[in-house]
Amino acid sequence: DRLQVNAGAGVAGFNTGITIQTGDGSYTANRGGMLGFFNEDVQVAGIRGQRAATGGWKGNLQFFTHNSTSGNTFGTTFLERMRIDESGNVGIGISSPDELLHIKSGVSEKPVLLIENSNADAGGAALELYKSDTTSEADNDTLGRIKFAGSDSANNKTTYASLIVTRPDITNGTEDGAY
């Protein structure tokens, strides 16, 4: 079944429609409904809700874009770009994310995480690692960690270096290292 809505028909810049498509009536894993975005007869993007392959009623949400000047084939010119899995993990460039945010690229020097501030003042962009648990704070707790890892010769993920920041004294008013 399919419901097609041409909400922007006749409005400049909105000569496209939205299609909501249900599943095929089966309870098979890896199937579900899709919200498709079309420009005339070409699907340019889509969001699919899918029953996860892990069984039960678990599901995931997949985001697709068209990446070619011709064709419109899933897995060839219409590729998954991001997924939110049944655990809430978000994968960009990977369909089975291992962490809350997992970004993967097979391109040299990628992925790059860019944090940009375009304001014309003296302030710049920031990356903040914040430990917010206030119930069991203690001296020498780890505040943040940046790991530098790669695969060893047997393809095992290995951490080769890390930057670990702890707080030696958390007593209010006399915090060591605070600024």
Side-chain angles (χ1 to χ4, degrees):
D1 295 317
R2 202 158 115 152
L3 168 67
Q4 196 159 12
V5 179
N6 289 316
V11 178
F14 290 96
N15 61 344
T16 61
I18 297 174
T19 299
I20 300 172
Q21 182 175 332
T22 64
D24 65 357
S26 83
Y27 290 101
T28 307
N30 296 322
R31 297 209 179 144
M34 180 162 181
L35 177 63
F37 299 92
F38 292 79
N39 181 348
E40 299 302 328
D41 64 338
V42 177
Q43 187 165 0
V44 294
I47 302 170
R48 179 168 65 183
Q50 176 178 282
R51 189 171 188 182
T54 55
W57 294 104
K58 297 176 183 177
N60 58 61
L61 196 57
Q62 303 162 352
F63 297 81
F64 295 85
T65 61
H66 194 271
N67 74 331
S68 178
T69 57
S70 63
N72 201 14
T73 309
F74 265 93
T76 304
T77 61
F78 197 68
L79 301 173
E80 181 178 339
R81 303 301 183 177
M82 184 174 80
R83 177 180 297 214
I84 303 172
D85 73 8
E86 61 270 17
S87 300
N89 292 343
V90 176
I92 299 174
I94 184 166
S95 62
S96 55
D98 293 327
E99 300 293 340
L100 192 56
L101 177 60
H102 187 160
I103 303 171
K104 183 176 182 179
S105 173
V107 178
S108 180
E109 302 291 322
K110 300 285 182 179
V112 172
L113 181 60
L114 175 64
I115 301 171
E116 180 176 349
N117 178 330
S118 62
N119 196 352
D121 65 10
L127 176 62
E128 181 175 318
L129 305 178
Y130 175 57
K131 186 172 188 302
S132 62
D133 178 18
T134 59
T135 60
S136 60
E137 298 298 323
D139 290 350
N140 299 312
D141 278 356
T142 298
L143 289 177
R145 173 184 334 218
I146 300 174
K147 293 181 180 181
F148 299 88
S151 296
D152 64 15
S153 62
N155 205 29
N156 298 308
K157 182 179 175 183
T158 304
T159 300
Y160 290 98
S162 62
L163 173 64
I164 300 171
V165 177
T166 60
R167 54 179 168 208
D169 177 11
I170 65 163
T171 306
N172 187 30
T174 63
E175 300 95 333
D176 292 342
Y179 67 97

